[in-house]
Every structure is written in C-alpha cells, then in structure tokens.
C-alpha cells in the first residue's frame, strides 16, 4: 500500500476508453484524495462512481484554470491531498493543468505524477513506426492555412510526427497531409482501447479513400502518425551534380528558393541545405 503525502498535488492519469486501464495506484490515490480537480466534473463522476469513490470535486478547465490555482493552493496549505484528473488520459497532455503545475512548482509544492494511459504513447506503442525520436504536435490549428504551415514546418524532420485529431476534422487533416507529405507512410490509430479500436496504414490518399468507402472509419478519436522523412545527404545523385544544377538554374534566372526546391525534388536531402548552397553560389562564394 502506498503512503500518500498530505499537502501534495497528485496528477493522475485515467483511462482513454477502457476503464480497466485505471491503475491500482491511481484508484488508491483518488480514493484517498481530499479534493479532486477534474476537467469536467459531470464526466468524471461516472469514473469515480465506477470505482466507488466519493470525494468532493472542483472543476478545472482551460477557462477557469488560472482562477482555480488559488483555491487549490489553499487546499494544499490546509494539508489536503488534491488529485488532478482530466476527461481522459494523462492531464496536461493536450489537456488542462500546465498552469497549475507550473504555479505549484514555482512555489515549491509537492507534485506527484501517477502515470497511466495516454493516447500518444498507446498509439506509438502499436504503430510500428520508429520511436527512438518522435515529435508530438498535438492538435494542429483549426484553419487549413495554419495547419498546412505547421505541417510544412515538420515535413522534413527525420522523426515520427504524432498528431491528435477529432472526428470533425480528420478528413481535412488528411487532405492537408496529402498535400504536404505526399506519399509518406502514415498510421492512423482510432478509438484506442475501445470496442472499435482500429489501426489503418497507408498514404494520406489511400487512407482518405478507405474512409470515404467506410464512413465509420471517420468516427471516434484519432491519433495520426507520420513516418520520419527519409534521411538523405544533399549529395550528388547519379550523374547529376548538385552545384552544377543549382548554378544552371540560377543562371537561368530562377530564384534561390525555387532552385533549392527543384534540387530537393530531384536529388533529395533537406531543402534548407540546398537553399544555403544556392545562396552561397549566388553570392559568388562556393561553400563546402
Ligand atoms: N490527455 C489525453 C491523453 O493523454 O492522451 C489527450 C486529451 S485530448 C483533449 C483528446 C485527444 O486525444 C482526442 O481528440 C484524440 O486525438 C486523442 N485520444 C484520446 N483518447 C483516444 C482514443 N481512445 N483513441 C484515439 N485517440 C484518442
């Protein structure tokens, strides 16, 4: 049996679908809490009823988090054990709680994580994509222009990219991924730990076709993962000399940026490297 410190905040991960994923330690922590701060108290009552826990609840969501900090500090000062939970998964991971934890850490309160499910790690653990390096981008902006910009920012990274998406925007997200990532391999995890858990893989266009064919595949909650960009050195490929190609393009009056795009498309590698190379050639210097 664990011992629970008084005057501490416990950040407790809860299930992302299957209630049996609530850990024993999470259950004990919730049962022994004096106060539970929950993103949506009505939603969390169902979980707490399921495990037979009756503890006073206070809401803590993105619109009241700042004003709740004082209330929770007061409870901690009174020696209470406070648990923080979100609607699903690990608090602070695309969920409220960061400002609270930051404020408590700054004031030297004890903050104890009680680890458990998170859609991000659950999806990665079964996707079959490289996991030594990955970038979690969470939810992309709601507007297509902002979304495409964020996708362009990461398209050349040699790491797995992980996104969260709701059913309302999954189709638009995949359409934008198709534009920016082209034929890149994707894995889409849906309804993790729930009855209709599905992993689909393919390119954005094949996945879109699959979803159009079977609209049920667009229901539920999604984690979208893109395979890393292939690592290629911006070196000469076959008979084509990269510097010669750039020089010829520049001589023909093609701009530095466009020359770098053409070189990337033909020879591979990073656009930023080709850009620097093209700029150096244009400036009259030859860099190595
Ligand atoms: N804190 C949560 C976590 O640790 O994963 C994430 C909360 S965020 C508000 C909700 C998003 O997480 C969903 O829109 C979806 O992208 C992802 N998600 C949560 N549960 C999921 C599940 N069971 N299957 C797939 N994705 C899920």
């Amino acid at each position: 049996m664990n011992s629970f410190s008084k005057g501490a905040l416990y950040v407790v991960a809860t299930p992302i679908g299957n209630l049996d994923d609530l850990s024993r330690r999470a259950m004990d922590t919730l049962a022994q809490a004096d106060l539970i701060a929950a993103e949506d108290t009505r939603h969390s009552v169902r979980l707490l009823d399921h495990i037979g826990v009756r503890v006073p609840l206070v809401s803590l969501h993105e619109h009241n988090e700042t004003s709740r900090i004082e209330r929770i500090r007061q409870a901690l000062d009174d020696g209470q054990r406070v648990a923080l939970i979100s609607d699903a998964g690990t608090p602070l991971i695309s969920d409220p709680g960061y400002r609270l934890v930051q404020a408590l850490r700054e004031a030297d309160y004890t903050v104890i994580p009680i680890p458990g499910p998170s859609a991000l790690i659950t999806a990665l653990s079964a996707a079959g994509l490289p996991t030594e390096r990955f970038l979690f981008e969470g939810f992309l902006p709601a507007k297509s222009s902002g979304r495409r910009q964020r996708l362009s920012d990461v398209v050349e990274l040699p790491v797995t990219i992980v996104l969260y998406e709701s059913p309302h925007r999954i189709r638009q997200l995949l359409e934008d991924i198709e534009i920016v990532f082209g034929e890149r391999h994707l894995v889409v995890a849906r309804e993790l730990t729930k009855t209709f858990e599905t992993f689909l893989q393919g390119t954005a266009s094949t996945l879109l076709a699959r979803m159009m064919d079977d609209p049920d595949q667009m229901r539920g909650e999604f984690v979208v993962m893109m395979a890393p960009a292939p690592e290629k050195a911006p070196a000469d490929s076959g008979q084509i000399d990269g510097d010669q190609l750039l020089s010829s393009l520049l001589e023909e009056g093609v701009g530095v940026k466009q020359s770098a795009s053409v070189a990337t498309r033909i020879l591979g590698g990073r656009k930023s490297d080709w850009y620097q190379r093209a700029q150096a050639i244009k400036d009259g210097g030859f860099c190595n």
Side-chain angles (χ1 to χ4, degrees), residues 39 41 49 57 66 82 88 104 114 117 132 138 145 162-163 185-186 188 206 214 228 236 240 261 266-267 276:
E39 187 180 1
T41 51
D49 278 350
L57 285 163
T66 308
V82 181
L104 295 182
I114 307 293
E132 319 81 61
S145 55
V162 188
L163 306 173
H185 181 69
L186 253 61
V188 175
T206 61
D214 176 8
D236 300 346
I240 305 171
S261 293
I266 295 176
L267 299 172
Q276 276 179 13

Side-chain angles (χ1 to χ4, degrees), residues 16 86 88-91 93-95 117-120 139 164-166 189-194 221-223:
I16 55 171
S86 62
T90 303
I93 307 300
S94 294
D95 266 341
S118 183
L120 153 71
F139 290 99
Y164 277 172
E165 196 49 279
S166 68
R190 182 176 77 92
E191 293 290 86
L192 289 162
T193 77
K194 302 185 196 175
E221 300 186 277
F222 296 87
V223 181

Side-chain angles (χ1 to χ4, degrees), residues 68-83:
R68 279 288 188 245
I69 292 174
E70 208 32 58
R71 163 87 174 80
I72 288 169
R73 279 176 70 135
Q74 190 59 57
L76 296 174
D77 289 343
D78 291 345
Q80 294 193 2
R81 288 167 285 229
V82 181

Side-chain angles (χ1 to χ4, degrees), residues 172-192:
Q172 291 94 315
L173 174 66
L174 289 174
E175 285 170 355
D176 287 334
I177 293 176
E178 183 182 5
I179 289 166
V180 179
F181 280 71
E183 296 296 296
R184 185 80 59 85
H185 181 69
L186 253 61
V187 179
V188 175
R190 182 176 77 92
E191 293 290 86
L192 289 162

Side-chain angles (χ1 to χ4, degrees), residues 68-255:
R68 279 288 188 245
I69 292 174
E70 208 32 58
R71 163 87 174 80
I72 288 169
R73 279 176 70 135
Q74 190 59 57
L76 296 174
D77 289 343
D78 291 345
Q80 294 193 2
R81 288 167 285 229
V82 181
L84 171 69
I85 57 176
S86 62
D87 285 354
T90 303
L92 278 77
I93 307 300
S94 294
D95 266 341
Y98 158 67
R99 281 172 285 178
L100 170 66
V101 172
Q102 184 191 40
L104 295 182
R105 284 242 170 258
E106 273 172 8
D108 271 340
Y109 285 86
T110 305
V111 180
I112 299 170
I114 307 293
S118 183
L120 153 71
I121 300 300
T122 309
L124 271 179
S125 72
L129 291 171
T131 48
E132 319 81 61
R133 294 178 71 195
F134 62 85
L135 177 66
F136 176 55
E137 282 281 311
F139 290 99
L140 294 187
K143 277 196 178 166
S144 185
S145 55
R147 228 172 19 237
R148 285 186 202 172
Q149 182 57 55
R150 287 271 293 277
L151 289 169
S152 304
D153 291 345
V154 299
V155 66
E156 289 180 24
L157 297 179
V159 304
T160 296
I161 310 289
V162 188
L163 306 173
Y164 277 172
E165 196 49 279
S166 68
H168 318 294
R169 268 200 288 270
I170 186 67
R171 183 174 158 186
Q172 291 94 315
L173 174 66
L174 289 174
E175 285 170 355
D176 287 334
I177 293 176
E178 183 182 5
I179 289 166
V180 179
F181 280 71
E183 296 296 296
R184 185 80 59 85
H185 181 69
L186 253 61
V187 179
V188 175
R190 182 176 77 92
E191 293 290 86
L192 289 162
T193 77
K194 302 185 196 175
T195 311
F196 296 108
E197 178 181 278
T198 319
F199 282 79
L200 295 180
Q201 51 185 337
T203 63
S205 62
T206 61
L207 293 184
L208 276 166
R210 176 85 195 271
M211 289 182 179
M212 296 304 179
D213 240 26
D214 176 8
D216 281 346
Q217 294 298 331
M218 275 189 265
R219 293 184 209 283
E221 300 186 277
F222 296 87
V223 181
V224 177
M225 294 157 282
M226 282 88 93
E231 285 211 68
K232 285 191 222 145
D236 300 346
S237 139
Q239 300 304 308
I240 305 171
D241 179 293
D243 290 333
Q244 242 170 25
L245 174 67
L246 289 175
S247 301
S248 309
L249 289 165
L250 292 165
E251 273 167 31
E252 289 299 320
V254 179

